[in-house]
Amino acid sequence: MSVKLDSSDKIHQVLDDYDYFLFDCDGVLWLGDHLLPSVVETIQLLKSLNKQCIFVTNNSTKSRQDYLKKFAKLGIDGISKDEVFGSSYASAIYIDKILKLSKEKKIWILGEEGIEQELHELGYKTIGGTDKKLIEDGVKFSPDHELLSNLDEKVGCVIVGLTFNLNYLKLSLTMQYLLKDNKSLPFIATNIDSTFPSKGKLLIGAGSIIETVSFASGRQPDAVCGKPNQSMMNSIKADHESLQLNPKRGLMIGDRLNTDMKFGRDGGLDTLLVLTGIETEENVLKLNDGNAPTYYANKIGDLFEYHNK
Ligand SMILES: O=C(O)[C@H](O)[C@H](O)COP(=O)(O)O
Ligand SMILES: [Mg+2]
């Protein structure tokens, strides 16, 4: 049964019990560009107590560099690039270190800038993505579009993530590359999140876009790099030996059960679910012990607000 963090005593105990606080972003720190209450104060409190704060997001639309700008813009200071892990970065590392794709090859992207930047940083050339040619206003889609019949022979891999500027041409080109060479190009998905939490509304998530091209092409992704996949957890543990040695000194904080909470649990960490994103208290209370988060709270800011009571 999950313990609700709704008193100063419980919060003080949590602050004593953990040295590493792994934060999900969408639905925990913010909703879009809307910062959630007492987030800045909570991170300042944890840093003042010499706690390690690490940010682990499945949102592939931004690179780690872009997230540093967003943190600063929202007043969350003192965050460094090696404290940020995103599914765009995890996917780029997968293509480079696991697939070992030649830098002679190009990568077709159905996604936003974050994926482009992380791949470019590793020396890869990309096509698709934010290419303006693919979002020509007022241009009626034609199956005879020259790009559909002139696929780039240098493309060696397809990656799909959350795409805000989505259209039929991009979906169709992605499908052509997934079918190319007898369906032999590696198909990488950034994350499985079916929905995207925004202020006051739930939007379509990366997972739903990936399912669209997957269903159409008759292919399942060869790899899904975001949470709950442990690749980001292994990178974090590789950088933080004492967490590797004692994962129980780590607390994974998130708003989604099938990504964040599973990611933490599979990594051997304890887990805290906050109710400012995808899940409801009702969802949590009906869970059996095996899948129930260690703790839950109304919002992450309660760590600060109850600490000061
Ligand atoms: O659709 C998506 O990609 C997700 O909703 C979003 O990215 C979740 O990001 P996170 O909560 O892991 O920061
Ligand atoms: Mg989230």
Side-chain angles (χ1 to χ4, degrees), residues 26-308:
D26 294 322
V28 173
L29 306 180
W30 49 60
L31 290 167
D33 288 330
H34 171 77
L35 188 66
L36 290 161
S38 304
V39 163
V40 172
E41 295 82 355
T42 295
I43 294 169
Q44 281 170 347
L45 168 67
L46 292 171
K47 286 192 175 261
S48 72
L49 298 170
N50 293 323
K51 305 296 182 183
Q52 183 72 49
C53 297
I54 296 166
F55 304 90
V56 194
T57 178
N58 268 359
N59 189 326
S60 66
T61 62
K62 284 185 169 53
S63 63
R64 291 160 299 152
Q65 204 56 44
D66 281 350
Y67 275 112
L68 293 184
K69 291 183 196 138
K70 181 168 185 174
F71 280 120
K73 196 177 93 192
L74 294 172
I76 305 172
D77 299 327
I79 310 301
S80 63
K81 198 175 175 180
D82 59 9
E83 292 173 323
V84 181
F85 293 80
S87 66
S88 53
Y89 173 57
S91 304
I93 292 292
Y94 180 87
I95 291 170
D96 190 30
K97 299 281 185 266
I98 311 295
L99 276 187
K100 295 187 180 3
L101 187 73
S102 151
K103 300 277 166 44
E104 297 309 305
K105 291 285 185 184
K106 294 179 185 175
I107 296 159
W108 169 264
I109 298 176
L110 179 61
E112 301 293 344
E113 229 170 10
I115 301 173
E116 287 174 333
Q117 285 175 10
E118 294 290 3
L119 286 168
H120 294 166
E121 202 171 305
L122 292 174
Y124 284 105
K125 290 182 277 309
T126 64
I127 60 170
T130 60
D131 181 348
K132 296 267 174 299
K133 277 205 313 295
L134 302 175
I135 40 176
E136 292 163 326
D137 288 345
V139 173
K140 199 167 164 312
F141 172 78
S142 158
D144 306 323
H145 193 292
E146 51 99 17
L147 286 175
L148 283 170
S149 36
N150 298 301
L151 297 185
D152 189 324
E153 290 306 323
K154 283 206 163 175
V155 168
C157 175
V158 174
I159 181 167
V160 183
L162 185 57
T163 310
F164 295 137
N165 298 300
L166 198 58
N167 62 27
Y168 194 73
L169 177 59
K170 286 184 180 182
L171 288 170
S172 305
L173 281 163
T174 303
M175 183 173 169
Q176 301 321 302
Y177 283 110
L178 288 175
L179 296 178
K180 193 170 180 295
D181 305 340
N182 199 15
K183 300 184 178 185
S184 62
L185 295 187
F187 174 14
I188 310 302
T190 57
N191 59 298
I192 58 166
D193 304 56
S194 56
T195 55
F196 177 55
S198 190
K199 190 162 184 288
K201 49 190 162 306
L202 208 49
L203 304 175
I204 291 200
S208 302
I209 295 169
I210 289 157
E211 280 298 324
T212 302
V213 293
S214 180
F215 184 57
S217 65
R219 293 186 62 181
Q220 285 301 319
D222 299 302
V224 179
C225 300
K227 299 169 285 183
N229 176 304
Q230 289 296 302
S231 65
M232 289 197 275
M233 183 67 83
N234 297 338
S235 308
I236 293 166
K237 287 177 176 175
D239 293 350
H240 301 278
E241 200 188 345
S242 60
L243 182 63
Q244 174 83 44
L245 296 172
N246 187 3
K248 279 295 175 205
R249 294 300 295 180
L251 185 65
M252 176 64 207
I253 303 158
D255 69 303
R256 187 185 281 267
L257 290 164
N258 69 338
T259 57
D260 307 317
M261 297 298 101
K262 183 169 171 20
F263 176 74
R265 207 171 45 246
D266 291 358
L269 280 65
D270 284 347
T271 54
L272 164 56
L273 184 91
V274 295
L275 304 176
T276 42
I278 301 292
E279 312 292 352
T280 62
E281 185 158 15
E282 194 200 343
N283 283 4
V284 178
L285 296 177
K286 66 182 175 211
L287 287 169
N288 64 42
D289 284 355
N291 292 323
T294 318
Y295 312 101
Y296 73 99
N298 290 332
K299 63 184 193 299
I300 190 59
D302 286 352
L303 289 189
F304 169 78
E305 293 175 16
Y306 277 110
H307 176 265
N308 285 16

